Amino acid sequence: MSSNKTIEMKLPSKRQKNAVQNVSNRMLVTPGDVITEDTIYMKGHGTYGTNIEGDKRVIASVAGVVEPINKLICVKPLKTRYNGEVGDVIVGRIKDVQQKRWKVETNSRLDSVLHLSSVNLRGGELRRRSAADEFAMREYLKEGDLISAEIQQVHADGSLSLHTRSLRYGKLGQGCCVVVSPSLIKRRKNHMHNLSCGVSIILGNNGYVWISPLVKTATDSEAGDGGFDFDKEPVTADDRETICRVRNAILCLAKHSVMLYDTSVQYAYDKSLDYEAKHLLSDDVASEIVDRTLMEIDLLKGNA
């Protein structure tokens, strides 16, 4: 039996790429989109141009948000590996112990390096590193250990050199590490906070968030022991539940692309107290917590 059916076919056609007349901040683009044809703009990271003579188009090479800096146009990718900057606070994991240095995994394209000369000796002693210090490297940091550090230098290939010369940095003890997108970490002057709920957090610029029982600090900005001595007593059940609740609150915010900083984490924790910690990751509860947190942040901004 034959049936008379009409089949409509559409031939492929070139996609129209209309240029944007006025380049605005936070404009979303996809690869191949023409950002502008204005000749006054220069091409930055995440953009490219053609080799055709007279073609001044600035075209996006990645999916992301347009960030014009004066006349320089850059596109910040929505999802990317961590691109470090000097002075960033990061949380990393020791990957390998080599001659006079440690290899550190920091969520970037290449492994970072922590030199033996860039770490504090016990008690903050200042002296040359000897052969004995080199032999004892694994006694301080070995494979799998988590550390907090600061970026000292960014090399031409994108690899990072770290240092832990401040006693605030060093080996991390008992706690929980949460991995989120680096783009969700809000850049602040301070990334180490003691929350009122009774935990300490380190919001690493590389997307690694460290949550631990409350650390008692003195008034000195260099307070700390560099990770040489930390409490090895079992964490109490109440502290473990608080750490779990803060972890789940952070994951709720990250799931809804909310910027992470001390205020947003504290508000999310406060709003989560109406639910059990194990229920925070369900879609309905997470949406409710995020909505209430954003309302609280908007109210805070309105009163500022």
Side-chain angles (χ1 to χ4, degrees):
M1 181 181 295
S2 62
S3 59
N4 296 325
K5 290 185 178 180
T6 303
I7 301 176
E8 295 183 358
M9 299 181 63
K10 188 176 180 181
L11 296 176
S13 60
K14 188 175 182 181
R15 185 175 63 170
Q16 296 295 325
K17 300 178 181 179
N18 298 322
V20 179
Q21 298 299 325
N22 297 319
V23 178
S24 59
N25 200 6
R26 313 305 297 175
M27 182 176 67
L28 189 66
V29 294
T30 57
D33 284 350
V34 178
I35 301 173
T36 182
E37 293 181 354
D38 200 329
T39 57
I40 65 173
Y41 291 104
M42 297 182 293
K43 296 180 285 292
H45 292 293
T47 65
Y48 69 96
T50 64
N51 295 326
I52 303 174
E53 185 177 354
D55 188 355
K56 302 297 183 182
R57 294 180 301 169
V58 179
I59 305 172
S61 61
V62 296
V65 177
V66 176
E67 292 188 344
I69 305 172
N70 295 328
K71 300 301 180 183
L72 179 68
I73 296 180
C74 301
V75 178
K76 184 178 181 181
L78 296 177
K79 289 187 177 181
T80 181
R81 282 286 193 169
Y82 171 61
N83 295 314
E85 297 181 12
V86 175
D88 281 358
V89 176
I90 61 97
V91 175
R93 187 181 297 276
I94 300 297
K95 190 174 181 179
D96 191 16
V97 181
Q98 300 179 348
Q99 185 176 13
K100 294 186 179 180
R101 65 178 186 175
W102 291 271
K103 283 280 189 180
V104 187
E105 201 281 309
T106 55
N107 198 25
S108 56
R109 292 189 299 271
L110 299 173
D111 289 335
S112 304
V113 175
L114 175 64
H115 290 279
L116 178 60
S117 59
S118 299
V119 301
N120 265 322
L121 298 174
R122 184 179 291 274
E125 184 180 359
L126 299 175
R127 61 172 175 80
R128 264 191 178 289
R129 307 308 191 260
S130 63
D133 295 322
E134 187 176 351
F135 289 135
M137 286 176 60
R138 271 196 172 85
E139 295 180 8
Y140 176 46
L141 292 173
K142 60 181 183 297
E143 292 86 346
D145 286 345
L146 283 166
I147 64 167
S148 61
E150 185 176 314
I151 295 179
Q152 181 180 21
Q153 185 179 2
V154 180
H155 300 285
D157 60 354
S159 61
L160 309 174
S161 288
L162 312 176
H163 80 86
T164 61
R165 291 196 183 95
S166 170
L167 291 177
R168 295 180 301 162
Y169 307 129
K171 184 177 179 179
L172 298 174
Q174 301 185 86
C176 173
C177 185
V178 185
V179 181
V180 299
S181 173
S183 60
L184 295 178
I185 303 296
K186 189 171 184 177
R187 290 187 176 273
R188 312 273 280 188
K189 185 177 181 180
N190 183 23
H191 283 257
M192 299 181 176
H193 307 280
N194 289 340
L195 301 183
S196 59
C197 58
V199 300
S200 297
I201 61 171
I202 302 176
L203 297 167
N205 287 108
N206 60 333
Y208 288 1
V209 180
W210 176 253
I211 312 168
S212 62
L214 190 63
V215 177
K216 297 179 180 179
T217 57
T219 56
D220 187 2
S221 61
E222 294 292 313
D225 53 29
F228 285 96
D229 300 302
F230 49 83
D231 189 7
K232 297 181 180 179
E233 292 296 321
V235 181
T236 64
D238 291 340
D239 285 343
R240 289 200 300 271
E241 183 178 354
T242 303
I243 290 173
C244 177
R245 185 176 293 276
V246 172
R247 170 194 177 271
N248 290 350
I250 290 174
L251 291 177
C252 288
L253 296 176
K255 185 178 180 180
H256 291 80
S257 301
V258 178
M259 296 298 290
L260 298 176
Y261 55 106
D262 55 332
T263 304
S264 65
V265 174
Q266 182 64 60
Y267 282 166
Y269 174 85
D270 293 339
K271 304 306 177 186
S272 71
L273 294 176
D274 297 335
Y275 308 94
E276 291 187 35
K278 62 183 180 181
H279 295 152
L280 299 184
L281 295 182
S282 65
D283 293 338
D284 295 339
V285 174
S287 298
E288 177 70 18
I289 292 173
V290 170
D291 290 342
R292 294 170 62 186
T293 301
L294 292 176
M295 289 177 60
E296 197 75 22
I297 293 174
D298 292 340
L299 184 62
L300 179 65
K301 290 179 179 178
N303 295 333

